[in-house]
Every structure is written in structure tokens, then in C-alpha cells.
Amino acid sequence: MHEMALASHMLAIITEQAETQNYDKVLRVCLEIGIFSDVEPEAMRFCFEAVTRDSLAENAVLEIERPLGQGWCMDCAQTVEMSDRLGSCPACGSAKVQITGGDQMRIKELEVA
Ligand SMILES: [Zn+2]
């Protein structure tokens, strides 16, 4: 389960920032997981709870957002929102779409005290 490694990494980032930004408690973490990411939100939730036990983020609320992915449509010559990695362009229906985003995972917001 690679979510465990990702959750540990996330906690390391939060802990590091706590030192430079002077907070000692994390109340809420808003995490963005692109829909093409291979991170499983429920597994992430479970791992987050496990790794934050006895840390500054213990009992923090984890919010997970799943933004749509992006693709470059070669026919429209523009970036379009994609809900399916193998889908066609929502604007013109072309299948010539190259996926350019949607597999990211990042901390979007952090509520601290
Ligand atoms: Zn198109």
C-alpha cells in the first residue's frame, strides 16, 4: 500500500513547516488528489489517521478533493477538462486528447493553531 509512504511523507512536510511557520497543532488538512492519480482516497484516509497518531496532526480533519484532470485536445488546440483518462474531448468529441494533468497529489490547505 503506497498510500502509507505518501501519508508519512505528507506528515514530514507538515512537521517541517510547523517549525518554520510556528504552529504546533494541525486542525484540518485539505488534500487534492487528481482523479487520474493512483492514490486511493479511502486508503489515504486510513493511512493518514495511522501516521498522524501521536503527532501534531493527531485528530486533524482530512478533507479530500478530487479535481478533474486536464487534457490537450489536438483538434481544438486547447486545454480541456477530462473526467476519463481515455475519454474524448468534451468540447468537440475528438479522441485526439493527450492527458496533461490530473495525477497530482498535493496539500491544498492547512488549518493550524
Ligand atoms: Zn476538442
Side-chain angles (χ1 to χ4, degrees):
M1 195 165 23
H2 74 136
E3 280 84 0
M4 197 56 97
L6 290 171
S8 305
H9 180 63
M10 195 164 84
L11 180 63
I13 293 173
I14 294 172
T15 309
E16 207 178 280
Q17 285 192 357
E19 282 174 29
T20 55
Q21 294 178 25
N22 280 317
Y23 57 82
D24 51 29
K25 185 111 189 84
V26 176
L27 306 175
R28 190 173 66 94
V29 178
C30 182
L31 195 63
E32 190 178 275
I33 302 176
I35 58 166
F36 301 147
S37 152
D38 60 357
V39 177
E40 185 56 58
E42 282 319 303
M44 194 60 196
R45 209 173 273 288
F46 173 83
C47 294
F48 180 80
E49 267 178 37
V51 300
T52 54
R53 208 162 287 151
D54 297 321
S55 79
L56 78 172
E58 184 167 26
N59 297 323
V61 176
L62 180 65
E63 282 174 16
I64 296 179
E65 287 187 8
R66 311 284 333 255
L68 285 177
Q70 290 94 40
W72 174 259
C73 173
M74 290 171 209
D75 285 334
C76 300
Q78 66 171 345
T79 297
V80 290
E81 281 198 325
M82 299 294 289
S83 55
D84 182 344
R85 191 184 271 279
L86 299 172
S88 47
C89 171
C92 75
S94 167
K96 284 185 267 172
V97 181
Q98 191 176 6
I99 297 300
T100 53
D103 55 4
Q104 78 283 10
M105 185 187 94
R106 66 182 187 101
I107 298 171
K108 195 181 170 195
E109 272 175 54
L110 214 52
E111 195 181 315
V112 298

